[in-house]
Amino acid sequence: MLEVSLKEKLERVGCPMSVAPKNIEKDLEFSTIEVYEDLFYGSKDSFWLDGELSSEFGSRFSIMGNCDKDSTISFIYYVRDSRLDITGPKGEESVYGDFYEIMDCIFSLIDNEISKDVLHPFKGGVVGYLGYELKALRGVPNKHISD
């Protein structure tokens, strides 16, 4: 039941039901910071992920992206209410329940395949952070509440 309801809500907010990373090739004469600034300067919700060990296959790439409000969705979970707010290009919806179960369901609904055109092993998907407040979902009391 959660899966059907959640899929409908994702579609109503304009969630892309398929994630497809793409290559943007830049001349090697630029540093990675210059590339990042060129592509994402002024963006509120951009990200930059680097492999830790450049000597290992698959970690020689810089993954940069932008959470463009016209094509992505964002999630905010409120532990106190057990509520996940989903915001997308077409609006906002809320889902109530366990964070981990909801996110697992979302991940199962979104197609995430590697394109043949992509030169790296990164599949794309969700970028963000999990706050310390989620520990309350596993029985650890929260001493502080986030804004």
Side-chain angles (χ1 to χ4, degrees):
M1 181 63 183
L2 173 65
E3 188 172 320
V4 172
S5 168
L6 188 53
K7 183 174 185 195
E8 290 170 356
K9 289 183 179 199
L10 290 171
E11 289 171 346
R12 279 199 297 265
V13 301
C15 175
M17 299 310 284
S18 179
V19 178
K22 61 182 176 182
N23 291 324
I24 296 177
E25 296 184 28
K26 288 288 195 175
D27 293 333
L28 295 176
E29 64 192 56
F30 296 103
S31 70
T32 51
I33 187 73
E34 290 171 320
V35 171
Y36 182 80
E37 288 175 344
D38 180 51
L39 293 172
F40 305 111
Y41 180 78
S43 172
K44 179 184 166 221
D45 295 319
S46 60
F47 59 89
W48 176 0
L49 307 170
D50 272 334
E52 180 182 358
L53 302 170
S54 61
S55 61
E56 290 186 23
F57 177 76
S59 60
R60 60 189 174 101
F61 300 99
S62 289
I63 308 298
M64 299 176 185
N66 184 9
C67 300
D68 178 356
K69 67 181 180 179
D70 295 329
S71 63
T72 60
I73 58 173
S74 64
F75 305 103
I76 299 176
Y77 187 78
Y78 298 92
V79 173
R80 180 178 284 167
D81 303 331
S82 297
R83 183 183 86 228
L84 180 73
D85 287 349
I86 307 167
T87 304
K90 295 181 180 177
E92 185 174 311
E93 291 280 345
S94 295
V95 179
Y96 293 86
D98 180 77
F99 172 79
Y100 300 103
E101 290 176 13
I102 295 169
M103 293 308 292
D104 187 49
C105 188
I106 289 171
F107 295 151
S108 73
L109 290 169
I110 298 174
D111 181 29
N112 191 4
E113 294 186 21
I114 296 178
S115 168
K116 294 176 184 174
D117 299 330
V118 176
L119 301 174
H120 53 74
F122 182 68
K123 290 176 82 172
V126 176
V127 175
Y129 65 93
L130 302 176
Y132 289 112
E133 292 79 14
L134 288 178
K135 68 185 178 187
L137 300 178
R138 298 298 181 243
V140 179
N142 277 324
K143 294 181 181 179
H144 307 284
I145 297 175
S146 293
D147 296 339

